[in-house]
Each structure stands twice: as C-alpha cells, then as structure tokens.
C-alpha cells in the first residue's frame, strides 16, 4: 500500500506544485504529499537551491520510493539529529573545504564549528551532554537562507531579534548566568545604532558587529572582541573606515586620537583595564555620544572631585549659558592629554588663554596668571628640595623622614591640579602654600644633614691634624729621651 501511495504521489505532485518537479528527491516528494511544514519550507532553503536533498542532512536513500529502504540504517538514515549531533551534521559540509567548493560555497569559512566549540555558547547546556547553542538555534532549520538575504535571522536587521530570543528572557538567562543583564534590547533601541537599525540601516552595529558570531567569548576573556583592551579596535572597524562612515558625516580619526591620549596609552600600551575604553564614555548597548549636560557626568564617574569642584565654580553657569560641554571644552574628548601645568596660565599654549586675555575677560586672565605663577613656584621648590635630599643621601646622611615628605610635596602638586577646577584663587593658593611649606621643611632638613656632614668632615680633619701633631711631638720627645739616654750610656763607658 505504501508503494502505491508513493507511486501516485510521484505523478501527482508535479501537477499540484505548479510545474515544479521534486522527482529527483523521493523524500521531499513524499513529505510534500503529506503537506508537512518542513518540506514546504525546504523548497525555499538555500541548501535546496544548491541541490542538497533531505538525505544530505538526515541520511538515507533519497532515490528509493520504498519508505523502509529509503529510511534504513544501512542507507545511513539518522532521522532527526539531537543535541550536538545537529551541528556535527552541519559541520560535515561546512567544515569540509572540498564539499563547500563542490556546492559553490568556496568563499565561506570552514571553521565555524571549531569556533563555536571554543565560544561561550560552546559550553555545556543544562542537559550536560550538548552545547548551549547549535547551528539551527540562530540560522533556523529547513528555511535557511544566505546571511546576505534580508530574510535571514542572522542578517544585520534581524540579528538583534535572534539574539534576544535568549538574552531578553530573564528566566532562561538566569539558569546560565544571572549576572548578565537582560535589558540589552531595550537599551539598544535607545542608541544611535539601534534607532538606525530599526529604520532599516543594515550598516549600523548590531550584536554580531561587536561580539562576533561563531567565536563569541565572555567579555572577561582576553581574546574577546569586547574585552576592555580590544574594544577600541572593535569600534574602529567601522568608525575608522572613512568610506564606510562617509554617509554618516562623522569623523573617522577617533581611534587614532584615542591611541595618543592619556587614556589610550594607559589602556592600549600599559594594558590597564581600569582605564576607560570607548564604551566607558559612550555606553555599551545603549551607546550614544554624551550630550552637553551628560559629558561631565560621564567624566565625573571617575574624576568625581574634579566634577564636584567644577559644578560649584563660576565656570559652571557660564558654560551652561553658552551651551559648552564642560570637561571636553578644556580637555578635548578622544585626544585627552596628560594634565600638566602648561594647561594653566596666560601663555599661548594654556587652555585659559582661549577665553581669557588682557582685553577679554581680564579677571580670569589675572587669576590664571597668578595660579600658574604659584604652580611654577611649587614645582621649583619640589625640584630644589629633591636635589638637596639627593645630595644629602649621596653623602651617606640619614634623611629618611625628609625623603618621605617629598611625597607630600608631589601630592600637593596633584591636589592643585584638582583644585584648579574650582577656579577659586584663594582655595588654590591654600593648596599651594601647604606644598611650599612642606618643601621648605624638607629642604631645611636635608640642608641641615649636609651641614652636619661638612661639620663632621671638618671636625674629623681637625681631630686628625691634632692627633698627628701630638703623635709627632710624642715621637720627637721619645726620640730626644732616647738620644739623651744613649749619650749618657756612652759617657759611662768612656770613663
């Protein structure tokens, strides 16, 4: 009876399918006749268009009309694969360069299965005998299309929806890693990337753009594309590509500038993961450039005291009125240089001179000039005290306390760099005065040690001279006594 049904279906299906023949794949012919969903989907699958039959994945003999023979184990039939067997079936072709070339996929990578196994998704699932994610989890099953096809669940416009099937499910994510947030999608929707993506722009960043695809790793993994040290490079894949970014009318030199900045040097050269990367200022999933009001809040998360001093300074009101970004106005954004005394004062290279001159905002000009004079004085005092301490130390004098207090002078200089954000010359002068007082004490202690060294040296010289004179006198006296005694002895002998 089964053979009769299959025989009839082989003739009727070409007519019922509007002229599309499935006679070459008996499996598909039969399932089409049964009207099941997988067979109807597979007609539009990319594998179907490449001439891969049902048996290509499920095994069996697609040329046999006999169901038992077509689905026999002798013919290699494996049925519906489960767990890791699913991805292994995919890897039979996708990890084989020769097979990929045979089906016209020579340009596709063949290491996806290998990468998946080492990724965060390659860890064991709750079942313990399979990975968390299989190929079909993201790519679908019988209706797989090219990644370049807008209908693909992993195309740029659909990838976010695909990833958040799991990552936006609190109950599901809690079973694997409760620390991972599940609001990434909501945040992403508020970002520039998310808003452009929702409007149909496939070029803006989505999940895979930053995290990768098959090789996704934990953010704490040094090999991860979103590990702190790697984030600037990840962002620059798009943001440093002038051709790619041309239509968005934004600069493409951010990475170059950041690499030269104090933050970039600390992160990229010294590998200090506590130093800020792109996402520390712009956000992660809710990435957006800081606004005029928010930029100080962003900087203030690390530079809290500076931000607090600025908020109560006279500049705060002026900056708000002129709608100037607070920290960025003086320190720049991506190319932030180390804060030195050169930024302060009335010289051409000073930041203050951009707004304050003798004939323009003169009050600020006078205060800036005075502040610079004070910092220069403190620097000279620190250098002078340090030189005297070094001199005393080289002479072998005990000056551990004075040497320790050199740190207090340096700390005072650092405090003045912070206090400058108050733009209050009295408070600033108070910090400098403490440093100058300490420098004076250190220099005095070190000089006292040097004076003592020379005192000891002169004393030793004088003592040596006296001892030498006494020694010589003693020698001469003894010699005179010896001669007198000798003469006396010679006179006795003569008599």
């Amino acid at each position: 009876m089964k053979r009769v049904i299959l025989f009839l279906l082989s003739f009727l299906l070409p007519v019922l399918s509007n002229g599309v023949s499935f006679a070459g794949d008996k499996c598909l012919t039969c399932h089409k006749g049964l009207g099941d969903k997988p067979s109807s989907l597979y007609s539009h699958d990319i594998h179907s268009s490449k001439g891969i039959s049902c048996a290509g994945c499920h095994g069996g003999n697609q040329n046999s009309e006999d169901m038992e023979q077509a689905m026999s184990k002798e013919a290699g039939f494996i049925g519906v694969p489960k767990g890791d067997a699913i991805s292994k079936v995919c890897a039979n072709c996708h990890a084989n360069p020769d097979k990929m070339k045979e089906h016209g996929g020579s340009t596709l990578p063949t290491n996806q299965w290998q990468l998946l196994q080492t990724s965060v998704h390659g860890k064991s699932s709750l079942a313990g005998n399979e990975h968390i994610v299989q190929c079909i989890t993201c790519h679908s099953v019988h209706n797989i299309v090219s990644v370049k096809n807008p209908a693909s669940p992993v195309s740029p416009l659909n990838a976010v929806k695909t990833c958040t099937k799991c990552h936006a499910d609190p109950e599901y994510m809690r079973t694997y890693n409760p620390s991972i947030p599940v609001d990434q999608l909501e945040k992403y929707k508020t970002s520039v990337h998310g808003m452009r993506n929702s409007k149909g722009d496939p070029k803006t960043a989505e999940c895979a753009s930053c995290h990768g695809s098959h090789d996704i790793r934990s953010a704490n993994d040094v090999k991860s594309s979103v590990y702190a040290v790697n984030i600037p490079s990840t962002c620059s894949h798009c943001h440093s590509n002038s051709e790619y970014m041309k239509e968005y009318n934004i600069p493409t030199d951010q990475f170059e500038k950041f690499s030269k900045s104090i933050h970039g040097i600390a992160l990229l050269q010294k590998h200090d993961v506590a130093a800020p990367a792109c996402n520390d200022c712009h956000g992660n999933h809710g990435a957006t450039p800081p606004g005029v009001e928010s930029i100080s809040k962003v900087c203030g998360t690390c530079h809290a005291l500076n931000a607090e001093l600025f908020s109560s300074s006279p500049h705060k009101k002026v900056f708000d009125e002129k709608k100037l970004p607070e920290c960025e106005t003086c320190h720049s954004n991506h190319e932030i240089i180390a804060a030195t005394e050169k930024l302060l004062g009335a010289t051409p290279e000073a930041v203050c001179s951009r707004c304050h001159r003798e004939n323009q905002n003169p009050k600020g000009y006078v205060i800036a000039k005075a502040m610079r004079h004070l910092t220069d004085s403190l620097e000279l005092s620190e250098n002078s005290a340090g030189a005297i301490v070094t001199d005393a130390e080289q002479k072998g004098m005990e000056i551990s306390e004075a040497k320790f207090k050199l740190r207090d002078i340096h700390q005072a200089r650092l405090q003045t760099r912070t206090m400058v954000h108050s733009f209050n010359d009295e408070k600033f002068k108070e910090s400098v005065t403490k440093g100058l007082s300490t420098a004076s004490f250190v220099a005095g202690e070190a000089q006292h040690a040097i004076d003592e060294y020379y005192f000891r040296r002169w004393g030793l010289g004088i003592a040596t001279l006296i001892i030498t004179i006494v020694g010589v006198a003693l020698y001469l006296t003894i010699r005179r006594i010896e001669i007198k005694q000798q003469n006396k002895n010679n006179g006795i002998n003569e008599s």
Side-chain angles (χ1 to χ4, degrees):
M1 184 64 182
K2 292 179 181 178
R3 292 185 178 182
V4 173
I5 294 173
L6 287 171
F7 179 78
L8 291 173
L9 286 173
S10 65
F11 283 98
L12 290 173
L13 277 175
V15 178
L16 297 174
S17 305
N18 297 322
V20 180
S21 176
F22 300 97
D25 186 351
K26 302 302 181 183
C27 304
L28 190 60
T29 300
C30 180
H31 282 275
K32 270 285 188 179
L34 297 174
D36 63 15
K37 186 176 181 180
S39 60
S40 62
L41 291 174
Y42 192 69
S43 301
H44 305 287
D45 191 285
I46 189 171
H47 297 105
S48 176
S49 67
K50 298 290 183 180
I52 299 172
S53 68
C54 303
C57 298
H58 296 280
N61 183 359
Q62 76 270 19
N63 296 316
S64 175
E65 295 180 355
D66 186 290
M67 185 181 297
E68 293 181 0
Q69 185 178 350
M71 299 171 65
S72 67
K73 291 184 178 180
E74 290 76 10
F77 183 72
I78 61 172
V80 180
K82 303 290 184 182
D84 285 351
I86 298 171
S87 296
K88 288 177 181 178
V89 167
C90 299
N92 287 336
C93 292
H94 283 274
N96 188 324
D98 293 332
K99 285 188 177 181
M100 293 302 293
K101 185 176 181 180
E102 177 185 343
H103 294 292
S106 57
T107 59
L108 296 177
T110 54
N111 62 343
Q112 300 102 320
W113 172 233
Q114 179 184 354
L115 292 174
L116 180 62
Q117 293 180 83
T118 59
S119 74
V120 69
H121 291 142
K123 295 180 179 180
S124 296
S125 68
L126 294 179
N129 57 358
E130 61 183 81
H131 295 333
I132 297 174
V133 169
Q134 303 298 332
C135 302
I136 62 172
T137 307
C138 302
H139 292 277
S140 191
V141 188
H142 295 97
N143 58 332
I144 298 173
V145 295
S146 169
V147 176
K148 297 179 181 179
N149 189 324
S152 171
V154 292
S155 72
L157 297 180
N158 296 327
V160 177
K161 186 186 299 183
T162 298
C163 295
T164 53
K165 285 180 180 178
C166 296
H167 283 274
D169 185 338
E171 185 175 351
Y172 179 83
M173 293 304 298
R174 185 168 58 245
T175 60
Y176 286 102
N177 191 342
S179 66
I180 295 180
V182 292
D183 60 348
Q184 298 102 322
L185 176 60
E186 295 307 314
K187 289 181 177 179
Y188 179 76
K189 288 178 179 178
T190 68
S191 72
V192 173
H193 294 150
M195 288 186 283
R196 286 188 175 275
N197 183 276
S198 65
K199 293 178 182 178
D201 185 352
K203 291 176 64 177
T204 53
E206 32 81 18
C207 308
S209 305
C210 304
H211 292 277
S213 49
H214 302 93
D215 58 340
I216 298 173
R217 294 174 178 267
S218 166
N220 296 322
D221 190 324
V222 294
K223 294 182 179 179
S224 170
S225 55
V226 292
Y227 180 66
V229 177
N230 301 330
I231 284 176
S233 177
T234 297
C235 296
S236 72
H237 286 163
C238 294
H239 284 275
S240 291
N241 188 329
S242 56
E243 187 62 30
Y244 190 85
M245 300 298 296
K246 184 168 57 177
E247 65 182 274
Y248 302 110
N249 195 31
I250 61 175
T252 55
D253 58 352
Q254 301 99 322
F255 179 72
E256 181 183 354
K257 288 183 175 180
F258 177 79
S259 300
K260 300 174 183 176
S261 73
I262 186 69
H263 293 151
I265 291 172
L267 181 68
L268 304 178
Q269 295 183 24
K270 299 179 181 178
H271 291 178
D272 180 1
V273 294
C278 310
N279 62 319
D280 288 288
C281 299
H282 292 278
N284 296 304
H285 302 95
T288 181
V292 172
E293 175 62 23
S294 70
I295 193 167
S296 62
K297 309 302 181 187
V298 173
C299 300
T301 57
C302 295
H303 303 281
L305 184 54
N306 300 37
E308 182 181 345
L309 289 170
F310 184 89
S311 295
S312 58
S313 75
H315 276 147
K316 168 65 176 174
K317 181 180 178 181
V318 176
F319 276 42
D320 288 348
E321 289 174 353
K322 294 182 177 295
K323 298 191 180 300
L324 294 173
E326 297 175 2
C327 309
E328 183 185 353
T329 300
C330 299
H331 294 280
S332 186
N333 47 13
H334 299 100
E335 197 174 10
I336 298 173
I337 62 173
T340 66
E341 283 73 12
K342 292 181 179 179
L343 297 178
L344 178 65
T347 57
E349 70 271 18
V351 173
C352 307
S353 62
R354 297 175 187 172
C355 301
H356 299 283
R357 300 181 182 86
E358 288 185 274
N359 57 352
Q360 180 183 345
N361 302 319
K363 183 178 179 181
Y365 173 85
V366 172
I367 293 176
K369 194 173 182 179
M371 285 182 170
R372 176 62 183 273
H373 175 72
L374 287 169
T375 57
D376 288 346
S377 298
L378 181 56
E379 182 181 9
L380 288 172
S381 297
E382 181 184 16
N383 293 339
S384 177
I388 299 173
V389 167
T390 300
D391 187 18
E393 188 176 33
Q394 289 176 346
K395 286 177 168 57
M397 302 304 291
E398 169 55 38
I399 49 158
S400 56
E401 184 180 357
K403 188 176 180 180
F404 182 80
K405 281 190 170 294
L406 277 175
R407 300 179 182 180
D408 293 340
I409 307 173
H410 186 69
Q411 183 62 29
R413 287 187 63 193
L414 294 179
Q415 287 177 352
T416 59
R417 292 179 184 176
T418 300
M419 192 55 65
V420 74
H421 295 90
S422 69
F423 303 103
N424 184 315
D425 53 338
E426 291 300 323
K427 290 183 179 179
F428 186 81
K429 187 176 181 179
E430 184 180 340
S431 296
V432 174
T433 301
K434 289 180 182 179
L436 291 173
S437 177
T438 305
S440 178
F441 171 81
V442 171
E445 288 292 303
Q447 188 60 53
H448 177 72
I450 293 173
D451 292 342
E452 186 178 349
Y453 165 80
Y454 283 114
F455 175 78
R456 292 177 184 179
R457 191 171 182 183
W458 278 105
L460 179 62
I462 293 170
T464 303
L465 179 60
I466 293 172
I467 292 171
T468 301
I469 292 172
V470 172
V472 171
L474 184 61
Y475 170 78
L476 293 174
T477 301
I478 294 172
R479 183 61 180 159
R480 194 165 43 249
I481 293 172
E482 288 178 346
I483 293 172
K484 186 176 181 180
Q485 185 65 38
Q486 186 178 4
N487 291 337
K488 183 177 181 182
N489 291 338
N490 287 340
I492 295 173
N493 292 335
E494 290 176 356
S495 63

